[in-house]
C-alpha cells in the first residue's frame, strides 16, 4: 500500500510545477498584455461616451435611473433610456457625475484609456504623473465645479461638482469662506500646471523675482543678468517682491557668485542645486532660484560692517561658512515661525462625515396642493361656524406636510371661548381624525384651526439634512428635527435648550425622534468635538450605534459595552458624569472662564498648559431612552444625579436628552420638569398626560406617526418629525465605524461610592473571600481599577469598592487618584504570594 501511494504522489507534483510555469508564462505573454490593454481601453471609451451622453440625455433618463438598481434598469419591462450607451451607460453616468465627482468624473475613463494604452505599450506617459493628475483633478475639479458651475447653472439635471464636490464645498465655505475656496482653486491649478510642465515652475519663479512675466528657453535655463544699463532706468525702479527680499538678504549675508556659462549641463543635479538656489536663514525650508552671473562685477549694495570681495576673471569667491550665521538663525527662527493653533481634529484628520446617499429619498417633496380639498374644508368651517351664529371676515390656509393651518378672523364682538368650544363640532363636519384650535394665534390677530391632511407626506431625514438651512448653520450642537406646518425646516441648538425631555405613547414616533437627534449630530460634529453617552434599558434601540464606539461614544473604564443597558451600570455612569462635570468646573475656574466654549478657544490658542491638567473638552450628549423604567427600578439613585447634571452641566458642555413613554407625575417629577425647559411631545392618550409634559393640552389631539409639539418656554410649535429608518441609521453607523477611530471610547472618570468605607479603614482581619483572587488580578494587569474587579468577578460595585479598599490597606494598591486608576505597588506574582502568606 505504501508503494502505491508513492507512485500516485510522484506524478502529481510535476503537473503542479508545470501548471505554475504555464500560468507565469501566460501572464508574461505580450499578446495577453496587449489584449488586456485593448479591453481596458474599450471599457474606458464606453464609460467616457456614457458620461458625454449624460450631459445631453441625462434629464430625460434621470427619473428612470434614480432609486433603481442596475438589475431593475436592464429588465425588459423597464422603460427605455436615451443614453447613447443604453441602461448600463445611463446608470454609470448618473453614478459617476451626480453621485461622485461631477463634470471631472470624465477623468476616470480617461485614466482607464491611458492604462489600456500603457498595457498595449502605445503610451509612455509616466504612470505616477498620470495618477497624480487624475487624483488632483477629481478632487480639485469637483470642488471648483461645485463652487463655480453650480452657482451659474443651478437648475439643471447635472450636479457639476457631484455629491463629493458639493459636500466638500459646503464644508470649505463654512470653514474658510469663499475667498479661501478661491485660493484653494488657484492652488490646485498651480499644482496641476507645474505637474504637467516643469518649465512653468521656472516661469512663475522668474515672474515673482522680476515683477514681470517672462518665459524660459526650451532648455529651461534663465538668461544671464548683465551689468546695469544706464539707458534703462525704468527697469530698475520696478523690482519684484522676491528681488527686494534678495536685496535685504545681501545686507545681512554678503555673497558673490561665480559665473556659470551656457555649457553647464542640467543633468548634474548637485551643480544645478548649488548654482540655482540660495539658502534663506530666516526660512530654512524655502529655496529660492538664483540667476547665473557673467564675469562682470555683480551689482550689490554694501554696508561698512561687511566686506564684499568682487572676483576678477576666474578668481574664486570666498563665502562665509554656514556656521558663522548659525547663532543668528537659531535666534530669529522661533520669532518668524510662531506656534500654530491646537487642532482637535488632527488625530482623526482623515475622518469623513456621512454622505447624503446613505439617507433614503422619498419622492413626495414636490406633490401639488389639493385645492379641492382645501376649498372644501374652508366651506365646511365657514358653514359650521355660521350654524352657531359666528361670522368670520377672512380665512386663509397654510398647507404643511401632514397638517393644514386655517387662520380665521372673526367679526367684532365674537368671544374666542365660543369658537374654542366648537372644536368637536368642527372636527365632525370635516370628518377629521382630530383638530386643534389655537385661540388666539401667538403674535397674530387670528384664530388657528389645524386640520390633518387626507394624504399626508413623509418628511425624510435626507430632505432636512441636505437643506441649506442645516448645512449653513453654525450652531454648536445643531439638531434638524423636521418641518413645521409651513413646510420650513426646523433646526435648534441643543446647547441653548440646554436639556430636552421627549415623551409620547408607544408607537407614536418617539424612537424615530431620538434617532433624528443623534443622526443630525453625527452629520455635523467631528468625533473630537462631541461624545455621546447612550443609555438603553430596552437593549435594542441604541444597539445600532455600537459601530461608532471608538469615534463618538463615552463609557466607564474597563466596560465591555459602550451602550449602557444594565440599570446598575446606569447609576455608576451618571455618578461618573457628575464627577466629570465637577472636574470640568474646576478647569474652568483655573482658566478664569465661564463656559466650555471660552475654555476651548483659550486651549486652541495654546493659552492653557496641558502639563497643568488642562485638556480640550468635547461636548457630551447624554441620551436616555425609557427613563420611566429607570425611575421605577432605581428611583432616587437615578433622579438625583440627573437633576444635578441638568442644573449645572450646561456651562461645561454636557447636555441631556431623556425620553419616556409614560408621562406621569411620578416619572416626570417637578425636579425633572424644572430643569428640562425644552419638551418634545408626541401623541398621548389623555389630556392629563399632555399637561404633564407641556403644562398645557394639545398632545392628545395629535395624529401620530411623528406628529409632535415642541415647547421651549412659552412658545409651542407643531412639527412633523423627520423619518429616519433603521437601515439608514445602520448604514450611517457602519460608514463611520469603518473609518479609523481612536484607540478606545472616551473614558469617563471612576467614582468611589459614598457607601464604601474611607480609604485605609478596611479591616484586613475580615477580608473578602475574593481578596486573594482580586489581588492576583490587579497584579497581573498592573491596573488598580474597581471596574476591572467588578467585571471579572461579576460582583456589584459596592463589593468591588470594598475589595479595593482592602487591597489598599494591605499595601497592594495606592490611594485614589481622581479619574486615573490606582497605582499598583506589587510588581510580580512572587512578591504578591509572599505578602499574602504574611497576611494569613
Amino acid at each position: 500500500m505504501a508503494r502505491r501511494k508513492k507512485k500516485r504522489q510522484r506524478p502529481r507534483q510535476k503537473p503542479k510545477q508545470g501548471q505554475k510555469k504555464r500560468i507565469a508564462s501566460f501572464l508574461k505573454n505580450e499578446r495577453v498584455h496587449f489584449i488586456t490593454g485593448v479591453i481596458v481601453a474599450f471599457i474606458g471609451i464606453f464609460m467616457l461616451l456614457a458620461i458625454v451622453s449624460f450631459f445631453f440625455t441625462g434629464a430625460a433618463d434621470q427619473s428612470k435611473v434614480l432609486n433603481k438598481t442596475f438589475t431593475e434598469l436592464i429588465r425588459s419591462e423597464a422603460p427605455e433610456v436615451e443614453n447613447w450607451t443604453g441602461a448600463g451607460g445611463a446608470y454609470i453616468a448618473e453614478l459617476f457625475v451626480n453621485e461622485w465627482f461631477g463634470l471631472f468624473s470624465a477623468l476616470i475613463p480617461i485614466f482607464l484609456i491611458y492604462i489600456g494604452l500603457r498595457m498595449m505599450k502605445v503610451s509612455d506617459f509616466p504612470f505616477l504623473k498620470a495618477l497624480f493628475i487624475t487624483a488632483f483633478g477629481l478632487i480639485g475639479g469637483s470642488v471648483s465645479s461645485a463652487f463655480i458651475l453650480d452657482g451659474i447653472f443651478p437648475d439643471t439635471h447635472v450636479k457639476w461638482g457631484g455629491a463629493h464636490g458639493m459636500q466638500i464645498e459646503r464644508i470649505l465655505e463654512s470653514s474658510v469662506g469663499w475667498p479661501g475656496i478661491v485660493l484653494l482653486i488657484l492652488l490646485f491649478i498651480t499644482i496641476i500646471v507645474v505637474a504637467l510642465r516643469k518649465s512653468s515652475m521656472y516661469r512663475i519663479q522668474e515672474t515673482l523675482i522680476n515683477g514681470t512675466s517672462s518665459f524660459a528657453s526650451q532648455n529651461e535655463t534663465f538668461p544671464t543678468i548683465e551689468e546695469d544699463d544706464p539707458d534703462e532706468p525704468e527697469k530698475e525702479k520696478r523690482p519684484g517682491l522676491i528681488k527686494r527680499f534678495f536685496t535685504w538678504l545681501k545686507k545681512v549675508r554678503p555673497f558673490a557668485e561665480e559665473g556659470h556659462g551656457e555649457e553647464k549641463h542640467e543633468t548634474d543635479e548637485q551643480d544645478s542645486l548649488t548654482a540655482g538656489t540660495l539658502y534663506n536663514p530666516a526660512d530654512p525650508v524655502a529655496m529660492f532660484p538664483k540667476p547665473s552671473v557673467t564675469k562682470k562685477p555683480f551689482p550689490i549694495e554694501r554696508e561698512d560692517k561687511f566686506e564684499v570681495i568682487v572676483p576678477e576673471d576666474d578668481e574664486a569667491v570666498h563665502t562665509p561658512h554656514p556656521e558663522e550665521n548659525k547663532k543668528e538663525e537659531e535666534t530669529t527662527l522661533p520669532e518668524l515661525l510662531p506656534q500654530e493653533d491646537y487642532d482637535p481634529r488632527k488625530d482623526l484628520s482623515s475622518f469623513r462625515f456621512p454622505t447624503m446617499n446613505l439617507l433614503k429619498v422619498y419622492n413626495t417633496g414636490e406633490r401639488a396642493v389639493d385645492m379641492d380639498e382645501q376649498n372644501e374644508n374652508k366651506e365646511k368651517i365657514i358653514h359650521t361656524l355660521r350654524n352657531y351664529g359666528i361670522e368670520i371676515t377672512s380665512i386663509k390656509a397654510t398647507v404643511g406636510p401632514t397638517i393644514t393651518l386655517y387662520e380665521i378672523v372673526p367679526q367684532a364682538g365674537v368671544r374666542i371661548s365660543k369658537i374654542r368650544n366648537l372644536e368637536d363640532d368642527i372636527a365632525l363636519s370635516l370628518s377629521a381624525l382630530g383638530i386643534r384650535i389655537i385661540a388666539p394665534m401667538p403674535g397674530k390677530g387670528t384664530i388657528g384651526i389645524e386640520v390633518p391632511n387626507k394624504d399626508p407626506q413623509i418628511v425624510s431625514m435626507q430632505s432636512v439634512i441636505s437643506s441649506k438651512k442645516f448645512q449653513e448653520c453654525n450652531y454648536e450642537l445643531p439638531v434638524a428635527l423636521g418641518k413645521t406646518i409651513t413646510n420650513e425646516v426646523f433646526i435648534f441648538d441643543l446647547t441653548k435648550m440646554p436639556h430636552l425631555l421627549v415623551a409620547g405613547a408607544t408607537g407614536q414616533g418617539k424612537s424615530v425622534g431620538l434617532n433624528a437627534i443623534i443622526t443630525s449630530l453625527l452629520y455635523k460634529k467631528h468625533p473630537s468635538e462631541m461624545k455621546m453617552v447612550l443609555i438603553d434599558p430596552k437593549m435594542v434601540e441604541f444597539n445600532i450605534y455600537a459601530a461608532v464606539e471608538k469615534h463618538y461614544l463615552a463609557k466607564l473604564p474597563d466596560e465591555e459595552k459602550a451602550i449602557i443597558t444594565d440599570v446598575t451600570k446606569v447609576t455608576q455612569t451618571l455618578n461618573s458624569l457628575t464627577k466629570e462635570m465637577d472636574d470640568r468646573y474646576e478647569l474652568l475656574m483655573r482658566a478664569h472662564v465661564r463656559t466650555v466654549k471660552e475654555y476651548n478657544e483659550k486651549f486652541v490658542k495654546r493659552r492653557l498648559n496641558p502639563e497643568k491638567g488642562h485638556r480640550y473638552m468635547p461636548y457630551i450628549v447624554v441620551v436616555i431612552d425609557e427613563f420611566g423604567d429607570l425611575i421605577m427600578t432605581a428611583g432616587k439613585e437615578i433622579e438625583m444625579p440627573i437633576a444635578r447634571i441638568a442644573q449645572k452641566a450646561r456651562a461645561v458642555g454636557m447636555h441631556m436628552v431623556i425620553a419616556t413613554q409614560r408621562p406621569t407625575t411620578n416619572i416626570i417629577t417637578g425636579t425633572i420638569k424644572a430643569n428640562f425647559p425644552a419638551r418634545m411631545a408626541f401623541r398621548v392618550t389623555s389630556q392629563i398626560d399632555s399637561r404633564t409634559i407641556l403644562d398645557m393640552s394639545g398632545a392628545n389631539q395629535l395624529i401620530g406617526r411623528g406628529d409632535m409639539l415642541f415647547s421651549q418656554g412659552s412658545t409651542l410649535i407643531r412639527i412633523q418629525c423627520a423619518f429616519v429608518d433603521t437601515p439608514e441609521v445602520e448604514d450611517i453607523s457602519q460608514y463611520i465605524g469603518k473609518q479609523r477611530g481612536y484607540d478606545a471610547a472616551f473614558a469617563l472618570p471612576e467614582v468611589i461610592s459614598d457607601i464604601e468605607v474611607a480609604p485605609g479603614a478596611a479591616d484586613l482581619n475580615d477580608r473578602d473571600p475574593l481578596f486573594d483572587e482580586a489581588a492576583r488580578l490587579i497584579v497581573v494587569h498592573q491596573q488598580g481599577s474597581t471596574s476591572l474587579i467588578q467585571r471579572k468577578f461579576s460582583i456589584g460595585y459596592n463589593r468591588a469598592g470594598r475589595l479595593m479598599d482592602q487591597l489598599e490597606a494591605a499595601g497592594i494598591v495606592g490611594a485614589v487618584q481622581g479619574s486615573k486608576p490606582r497605582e499598583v505597588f506589587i510588581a510580580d506574582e512572587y512578591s504578591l504570594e509572599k505578602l499574602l502568606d504574611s497576611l494569613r
Side-chain angles (χ1 to χ4, degrees):
M1 293 296 292
R3 292 180 181 177
R4 289 181 182 177
K5 288 183 180 179
K6 289 181 180 179
K7 288 180 181 179
R8 290 177 182 175
Q9 290 175 356
R10 287 175 184 173
R12 286 180 183 175
Q13 296 178 357
K14 293 181 180 179
K16 288 184 179 179
Q17 295 176 356
Q19 188 177 5
K20 291 180 180 179
K21 291 181 180 180
R22 287 194 298 271
I23 293 174
S25 61
F26 176 81
L27 294 176
K28 294 178 181 178
N29 195 315
E30 291 184 2
R31 189 183 302 176
V32 174
H33 289 181
F34 186 86
I35 294 174
T36 306
V38 172
I39 294 172
V40 173
F42 270 72
I43 292 174
I45 294 172
F46 174 85
M47 294 167 62
L48 185 60
L49 284 173
I51 292 175
V52 173
S53 174
F54 174 79
F55 295 101
F56 302 96
T57 62
D61 294 341
Q62 200 164 40
S63 60
K64 306 169 186 175
V65 175
L66 284 177
N67 297 326
K68 291 184 180 178
T69 63
F70 180 77
T71 307
E72 294 173 345
L73 279 177
I74 62 176
R75 285 188 297 191
S76 58
E77 64 270 15
E80 291 188 3
V81 298
E82 296 185 14
N83 193 287
W84 303 338
T85 53
Y91 183 85
I92 292 173
E94 176 69 25
L95 177 67
F96 277 28
V97 178
N98 283 350
E99 299 298 329
W100 287 4
F101 299 101
L103 176 65
F104 281 78
S105 295
L107 290 176
I108 297 176
I110 292 174
F111 182 76
L112 286 178
I113 295 172
Y114 157 76
I115 293 294
L117 295 176
R118 188 175 178 86
M119 296 179 70
M120 295 162 61
K121 295 186 178 180
V122 176
S123 173
D124 58 351
F125 191 83
F127 174 78
L128 291 179
K129 182 181 286 188
L131 182 62
F132 176 85
I133 293 171
T134 303
F136 261 78
L138 288 174
I139 298 172
S142 63
V143 176
S144 304
S145 300
F147 180 70
I148 299 172
L149 296 180
D150 281 352
I152 299 175
F153 309 105
D155 299 324
T156 65
H157 68 283
V158 181
K159 295 180 182 177
W160 298 101
H164 170 269
M166 292 174 63
Q167 186 74 10
I168 299 300
E169 189 268 339
R170 289 194 189 105
I171 296 173
L172 291 175
E173 190 171 4
S174 63
S175 58
V176 298
W178 68 265
I181 298 178
V182 173
L183 290 175
L184 284 174
I185 293 174
L186 293 176
L187 174 63
F188 276 111
I189 294 174
T190 304
I191 293 174
I192 293 294
V193 169
V194 173
L196 284 173
R197 186 171 177 82
K198 184 179 180 182
S199 60
S200 59
M201 176 179 67
Y202 299 120
R203 295 177 186 177
I204 296 173
Q205 290 172 338
E206 191 175 4
T207 300
L208 291 174
I209 293 173
N210 297 329
T212 58
S213 61
S214 59
F215 297 92
S217 60
Q218 292 184 355
N219 58 1
E220 299 182 350
T221 58
F222 289 102
T224 57
I225 298 178
E226 301 291 339
E227 190 175 1
D228 293 347
D229 190 352
D231 295 331
E232 296 181 2
E234 294 296 328
K235 188 173 182 180
E236 285 296 314
K237 291 181 181 178
R238 295 181 295 153
L241 178 63
I242 307 300
K243 196 168 186 177
R244 290 197 297 272
F245 174 76
F246 274 114
T247 304
W248 171 84
L249 189 63
K250 294 167 188 174
K251 295 179 181 179
V252 180
R253 185 175 180 180
F255 64 90
E257 305 295 336
E258 182 180 0
H260 297 275
E262 294 288 342
E263 69 277 7
K264 200 72 174 177
H265 295 291
E266 293 181 3
T267 54
D268 190 349
E269 297 181 357
Q270 184 63 31
D271 292 343
S272 65
L273 179 63
T274 56
T277 56
L278 178 66
Y279 182 82
N280 176 17
D283 187 0
V285 179
M287 304 294 289
F288 296 91
K290 184 185 67 181
S292 59
V293 298
T294 60
K295 296 182 180 179
K296 297 181 180 181
F298 193 95
I300 185 170
E301 295 183 25
R302 308 185 185 188
E303 290 186 4
D304 295 338
K305 60 181 180 180
F306 292 105
E307 179 182 2
V308 180
I309 303 175
V310 181
E312 296 182 0
D313 298 332
D314 295 334
E315 184 178 349
V317 180
H318 172 71
T319 58
H321 195 272
E323 294 294 332
E324 296 176 16
N325 292 330
K326 184 176 181 181
K327 184 176 181 181
E328 181 181 357
E329 294 171 11
E330 292 175 351
T331 57
T332 59
L333 184 59
E335 299 177 1
L336 295 175
L337 296 175
Q339 196 173 17
E340 62 179 6
D341 291 347
Y342 170 77
D343 184 9
R345 299 188 177 191
K346 190 173 183 180
D347 291 340
L348 293 183
S349 58
S350 61
F351 178 81
R352 294 171 296 164
F353 286 93
T355 57
M356 292 300 165
N357 58 5
L358 299 174
L359 297 172
K360 188 176 180 181
V361 179
Y362 296 90
N363 297 323
T364 58
E366 300 180 356
R367 185 180 298 173
V369 177
D370 189 351
M371 294 305 301
D372 294 336
E373 178 186 351
Q374 306 307 320
N375 293 328
E376 182 183 354
N377 288 343
K378 284 182 182 180
E379 293 297 329
K380 289 181 178 179
I381 292 173
I382 295 173
H383 182 72
T384 303
L385 293 175
R386 189 172 294 162
N387 289 339
Y388 291 93
I390 300 173
E391 296 291 337
I392 61 176
T393 59
S394 67
I395 181 171
K396 69 174 183 178
T398 304
V399 183
T402 57
I403 299 295
T404 299
L405 172 65
Y406 296 92
E407 294 183 62
I408 63 174
V409 179
Q411 284 186 345
V414 177
R415 297 176 64 88
I416 295 177
S417 59
K418 190 175 181 181
I419 299 177
R420 190 185 293 117
N421 293 333
L422 296 176
E423 188 172 76
D424 294 336
D425 299 280
I426 297 174
L428 177 63
S429 65
L430 296 174
S431 301
L433 179 63
I435 68 169
R436 177 170 169 263
I437 294 181
I438 309 171
M441 292 282 292
K444 299 181 180 180
T446 60
I447 296 175
I449 302 176
E450 294 177 347
V451 181
N453 296 334
K454 293 181 180 179
D455 188 14
Q457 298 180 12
I458 297 176
V459 176
S460 66
M461 198 68 198
Q462 192 273 344
S463 64
V464 177
I465 293 291
S466 62
S467 66
K468 185 177 180 181
K469 187 175 182 180
F470 181 76
Q471 293 295 329
E472 295 181 356
C473 74
N474 56 358
Y475 294 159
E476 295 297 322
L477 290 175
V479 175
L481 206 53
K483 291 186 178 181
T484 64
I485 57 176
T486 58
N487 261 326
E488 295 180 1
V489 175
F490 182 80
I491 301 173
F492 67 87
D493 189 353
L494 187 58
T495 61
K496 299 294 190 296
M497 294 298 105
H499 310 289
L500 182 61
L501 173 63
V502 183
T506 303
Q508 303 304 317
K510 177 170 51 64
S511 297
V512 175
L514 294 179
N515 286 331
I517 294 173
I518 298 174
T519 301
S520 302
L521 296 174
L522 294 180
Y523 265 89
K524 204 70 174 176
K525 301 303 293 183
H526 191 271
S528 63
E529 301 168 345
M530 182 199 69
K531 302 297 178 183
M532 293 187 294
V533 176
L534 302 182
I535 299 175
D536 179 20
K538 288 197 298 188
M539 304 183 186
V540 293
E541 290 295 337
F542 294 152
N543 190 42
I544 51 180
Y545 297 105
V548 302
E549 174 180 343
K550 294 185 178 180
H551 297 83
Y552 285 102
L553 300 188
K555 65 177 183 178
L556 291 170
D558 301 322
E559 285 295 327
E560 292 182 356
K561 297 180 180 179
I563 311 296
I564 304 165
T565 57
D566 189 356
V567 177
T568 60
K569 303 289 185 182
V570 174
T571 306
Q572 301 170 30
T573 302
L574 293 175
N575 290 329
S576 177
L577 288 170
T578 59
K579 179 66 168 60
E580 174 72 14
M581 177 184 70
D582 295 336
D583 293 344
R584 290 190 170 202
Y585 265 111
E586 184 179 352
L587 292 176
L588 262 61
M589 179 188 64
R590 289 161 50 191
H592 305 288
V593 294
R594 298 177 61 185
T595 64
V596 67
K597 185 176 180 180
E598 297 174 2
Y599 178 90
N600 284 338
E601 288 176 354
K602 263 192 169 184
F603 190 87
V604 167
K605 296 296 182 183
R606 299 190 183 273
R607 294 167 58 190
L608 299 174
N609 190 356
E611 295 181 356
K612 295 184 179 180
H614 290 289
R615 54 189 169 92
Y616 184 85
M617 293 190 289
Y619 287 98
I620 297 179
V621 179
V622 184
V623 185
I624 304 177
D625 194 14
E626 294 302 331
F627 174 70
D629 183 68
L630 296 178
I631 290 293
M632 294 184 65
T633 306
K636 293 295 182 181
E637 293 183 10
I638 296 290
E639 184 179 356
M640 293 311 295
I642 287 179
R644 280 203 63 203
I645 295 171
Q647 287 171 357
K648 294 178 56 180
R650 172 182 184 175
V652 293
M654 299 171 64
H655 306 275
M656 299 193 75
V657 179
I658 63 175
T660 180
Q661 64 180 1
R662 287 182 296 205
T664 56
T665 52
N666 62 332
I667 302 297
I668 306 177
T669 61
T671 304
I672 296 297
K673 291 179 67 174
N675 294 289
F676 285 78
R679 323 268 176 82
M680 280 172 55
F682 293 88
R683 186 184 182 187
V684 294
T685 55
S686 67
Q687 187 175 354
I688 297 175
D689 291 344
S690 177
R691 292 188 179 277
T692 304
I693 306 168
L694 302 173
D695 296 326
M696 64 182 74
S697 61
N700 55 309
Q701 297 166 316
L702 299 175
I703 63 174
R705 296 181 63 85
D707 187 20
M708 69 175 183
L709 293 172
F710 183 86
S711 170
Q712 186 184 9
S714 59
T715 61
L716 192 66
I717 305 172
R718 191 166 185 174
I719 302 169
Q720 178 61 39
C721 183
F723 178 69
V724 53
D725 204 359
T726 301
E728 299 175 61
V729 180
E730 289 178 349
D731 291 342
I732 294 170
S733 299
Q734 293 298 327
Y735 181 89
I736 296 174
K738 290 178 181 178
Q739 301 184 51
R740 185 178 68 86
Y742 296 102
D743 295 335
F746 185 82
L748 298 175
E750 283 190 305
V751 180
I752 301 299
S753 175
D754 295 335
I755 303 176
E756 296 180 34
V757 293
D763 185 8
L764 293 180
N765 294 324
D766 188 18
R767 295 192 300 273
D768 193 283
L770 294 175
F771 177 82
D772 291 354
E773 294 182 37
R776 295 186 183 97
L777 177 69
I778 294 298
V779 171
V780 168
H781 287 80
Q782 286 294 302
Q783 183 179 4
S785 171
T786 307
S787 298
L788 178 64
I789 296 176
Q790 182 184 3
R791 179 164 53 87
K792 290 296 184 181
F793 298 110
S794 300
I795 60 176
Y797 189 81
N798 294 337
R799 184 181 178 185
R802 286 192 292 270
L803 269 169
M804 187 61 70
D805 288 337
Q806 292 176 1
L807 293 173
E808 180 185 353
I812 298 175
V813 298
V816 179
Q817 301 181 13
S819 61
K820 298 180 180 179
R822 297 172 183 246
E823 185 179 0
V824 181
F825 294 145
I826 306 299
D828 52 69
E829 293 184 69
Y830 176 77
S831 303
L832 174 65
E833 293 301 327
K834 291 180 63 178
L835 177 62
L836 294 178
D837 290 338
S838 64
L839 294 175
R840 293 190 180 98

